Amino acid sequence: MSEHGRSRWVFPPWVNQLRVVAGVALVVIPVYLVVLVGFGASPRTTDVGYAPEQPVPYSHALHVGQLGLDCRYCHNTVEEAAKAAIPPTQTCMNCHARIRAASPKLLSVRESYATGMPIPWVRVHDLPDYVYFDHSAHVRRGVGCVSCHGRVDTMEVVQQVEPLSMGWCLDCHRNPDPHLRPPELVTSMDWVPPEKPEVYGRRLREQLGIRPSTDCGTCHR
Amino acid sequence: MPRSLKYALAVIAVLALLPLALVAKARVATSPRPRVHLIFDMDNQPKFKAQSANPLFADGRAMRLPVPGTVARGTLVPQEVATGRKGVQWLEVIPVPVDRQLLLRGQERYNIFCAPCHGYSGYGDGAVQRRAERLEEGTWTPVASFHTETARARPVGYIFNAITNGVRTMPPYGAQIPVEDRWAIVAYVKALQRSQWATLADVPKEVRPQLEVRMREHDGTR
């Protein structure tokens, strides 16, 4: 082999610096990956903030925030059933047969009313099908809509504000105190407890005998 | 270290920040794009839930409507309770027991379903009425007040029927409000009407002195 060729197989002195680089990389890369996957794959990143475009530019900020409609005017099954029903077109037509009756924004509402075909609202919140969730169990015991859906009365477009992960459900089932309120005030968006939420909620919990279950069978049945 | 290697390392370090920046953005911004969903498990099972879609039916609804003229099990109530009339006559007396519980329920339901138009005190000045006035909607009919002579003379069956089937230009609320709640609302409307025409004689003896003090402070008359 030639002189030149042999030197190709000898590490030059700067390679020693790579040991430092490799050492740093050995520490930084795992930390980096943990942070990236931990934050990147968390439902707070992938799910929270989902705000699909709806077929009608219906605004909760207008109807709830300004006109002061109660959630139950439209989502009228929320206290009795597992599902908070999305209102049928008839509910919109209660008012819109006469208010903004010619508005182009309401064209598909009128079309749906005339043809009987439902408005294809896009689901915002969607638990996996193997999870059992029940609105009435929460609303009747005094967990406010705002605890799980945020300030809907300020939303032009509904968005998901909570991760809806199992950890999130369990956090509250283990310690519901800060989220409890008198059951008749569940739809109030700006209610604040008269004293520290933990203290007030604890009193309510003891008074009403609220004990959210953490057994697997509660939510997986 | 050769320059090129240094540059390469620097570029890698900068590129490595990019995913972090994207994650940070996803955490603060809202997005209309479908959620990132890496592992499907059994999240979407081939079954129908309430209000889901089923392409087998012409209207696309998985939930079917009851056949017209049928009554679901357990929901049959006496004819008078369900219609608010006996034969062709409006009922004059509420056909369910009226107690404090029913009135409180009625108040809550009234505030949810009626107050937007009729107003919390029933004068026909709810938020929707006021908004319609401001918008000068030509198609809107002013909401009726419950405190006119005619309205006060209405039998309870008439009010019940107004909720169930609507009245003139008022829309029907029968689909949104169950029968018991409709009677609770009727009871509360009657209480509202009475409250606006009450005299001191309507108030229980024990609380009268309290009220007399308040009234004197208020305007000195009566």
Side-chain angles (χ1 to χ4, degrees):
Chain A
M1 242 179 235
S2 71
E3 188 88 321
H4 177 75
R6 201 178 303 135
S7 72
R8 276 183 64 199
W9 303 104
V10 174
F11 286 123
W14 61 261
V15 169
N16 285 344
Q17 293 175 343
L18 280 187
R19 283 198 308 200
V20 184
V21 173
V24 171
L26 220 57
V27 177
V28 169
I29 289 177
V31 171
Y32 174 82
L33 287 179
V34 167
V35 168
L36 187 66
V37 174
F39 280 86
S42 130
R44 284 207 186 269
T45 309
T46 56
D47 292 14
V48 170
Y50 177 48
E53 235 168 82
Q54 300 290 349
V56 178
Y58 168 77
S59 158
H60 281 81
L62 170 67
H63 291 83
V64 180
Q66 291 184 35
L67 295 175
L69 291 181
D70 191 285
C71 313
R72 291 165 289 187
Y73 182 97
C74 290
H75 305 296
N76 59 342
T77 63
V78 72
E79 289 169 304
E80 273 83 40
K83 165 123 186 155
I86 298 296
T89 308
Q90 167 65 48
T91 304
C92 311
M93 291 308 275
N94 283 348
C95 292
H96 288 296
R98 303 189 167 273
I99 293 184
R100 288 263 177 265
S103 164
K105 288 188 193 165
L106 285 157
L107 187 66
S108 42
V109 175
R110 292 193 297 271
E111 238 164 45
S112 152
Y113 190 63
T115 60
M117 295 293 284
I119 304 173
W121 299 111
V122 182
R123 257 204 105 105
V124 185
H125 302 78
D126 196 3
L127 287 173
D129 285 354
Y130 53 77
V131 179
Y132 173 78
F133 176 79
D134 190 329
H135 272 96
S136 65
H138 294 89
V139 174
R140 283 205 173 159
R141 302 300 256 161
V143 184
C145 313
V146 74
S147 295
C148 304
H149 295 301
R151 287 300 297 263
V152 176
D153 62 333
T154 60
M155 294 179 193
E156 284 296 335
V157 178
V158 182
Q159 68 179 77
Q160 184 176 335
V161 297
E162 295 291 348
L164 306 193
S165 62
M166 177 161 145
W168 174 76
C169 306
L170 286 176
D171 276 347
C172 180
H173 276 217
R174 291 199 177 112
N175 175 27
D177 293 357
H179 303 287
L180 295 179
R181 51 173 79 195
E184 58 274 14
L185 294 173
V186 283
T187 55
S188 167
M189 289 276 118
D190 51 8
W191 180 84
V192 277
E195 54 189 319
K196 262 184 76 177
E198 293 80 17
V199 184
Y200 187 78
R202 185 168 167 190
R203 183 134 20 84
L204 270 180
R205 174 164 62 78
E206 283 163 2
Q207 217 175 321
L208 300 173
I210 292 173
R211 282 192 320 120
S213 155
T214 51
D215 299 343
C216 316
T218 308
C219 311
H220 305 295
R221 46 174 86 175
Chain B
M1 212 189 299
R3 271 256 178 85
S4 55
L5 191 59
K6 275 189 190 160
Y7 283 141
L9 283 176
V11 167
I12 288 172
V14 170
L15 282 181
L17 290 178
L18 207 64
L20 289 181
L22 286 176
V23 166
K25 176 168 171 288
R27 279 177 89 88
V28 294
T30 64
S31 159
R33 267 171 292 134
R35 283 167 277 232
V36 183
H37 203 146
L38 295 178
I39 305 164
F40 273 89
D41 295 334
M42 286 168 71
D43 287 2
N44 296 304
Q45 301 166 9
K47 67 179 179 190
F48 297 112
K49 298 169 97 177
Q51 290 195 322
S52 53
N54 183 347
L56 280 179
F57 293 105
D59 64 1
R61 290 181 176 92
M63 289 161 78
R64 308 311 303 157
L65 293 167
V67 179
T70 58
V71 178
R73 276 189 186 211
T75 61
L76 188 66
V77 290
Q79 190 79 12
E80 287 166 28
V81 177
T83 59
R85 50 178 120 201
K86 188 176 189 134
V88 291
Q89 290 287 13
W90 297 121
L91 290 188
E92 297 282 349
V93 180
I94 296 177
V96 295
V98 178
D99 52 14
R100 191 180 163 76
Q101 206 61 37
L102 189 84
L103 281 172
L104 287 175
R105 176 76 180 172
Q107 178 179 40
E108 189 189 51
R109 296 295 120 173
Y110 176 92
N111 289 347
I112 295 171
F113 291 108
C114 316
C117 292
H118 286 277
Y120 288 98
S121 46
Y123 281 100
D125 57 352
V128 173
Q129 165 68 26
R130 277 180 277 131
R131 181 63 67 113
E133 263 167 37
R134 218 179 71 203
L135 294 173
E136 299 180 350
E137 290 282 351
T139 41
W140 180 253
T141 342
V143 178
S145 164
F146 292 138
H147 305 304
T148 59
E149 288 289 346
T150 21
R152 285 198 308 136
R154 300 285 192 202
V156 290
Y158 176 90
I159 304 177
F160 180 86
N161 185 63
I163 306 176
T164 313
N165 299 316
V167 54
R168 299 188 297 276
T169 53
M170 175 179 143
Y173 278 83
Q176 261 161 286
I177 312 175
V179 171
E180 320 86 77
D181 284 352
R182 274 178 251 160
W183 283 114
I185 292 175
V186 171
Y188 182 69
V189 169
K190 279 288 160 197
L192 258 187
Q193 291 180 333
R194 185 134 175 231
S195 75
Q196 299 303 302
W197 297 76
T199 60
L200 206 54
D202 291 324
V203 180
K205 273 216 177 61
E206 315 84 83
V207 287
R208 259 184 230 170
Q210 239 173 303
L211 198 64
E212 274 165 344
V213 173
R214 295 267 287 280
M215 273 158 62
R216 238 179 306 166
E217 279 168 3
H218 185 238
D219 58 9
T221 57
R222 275 199 283 183

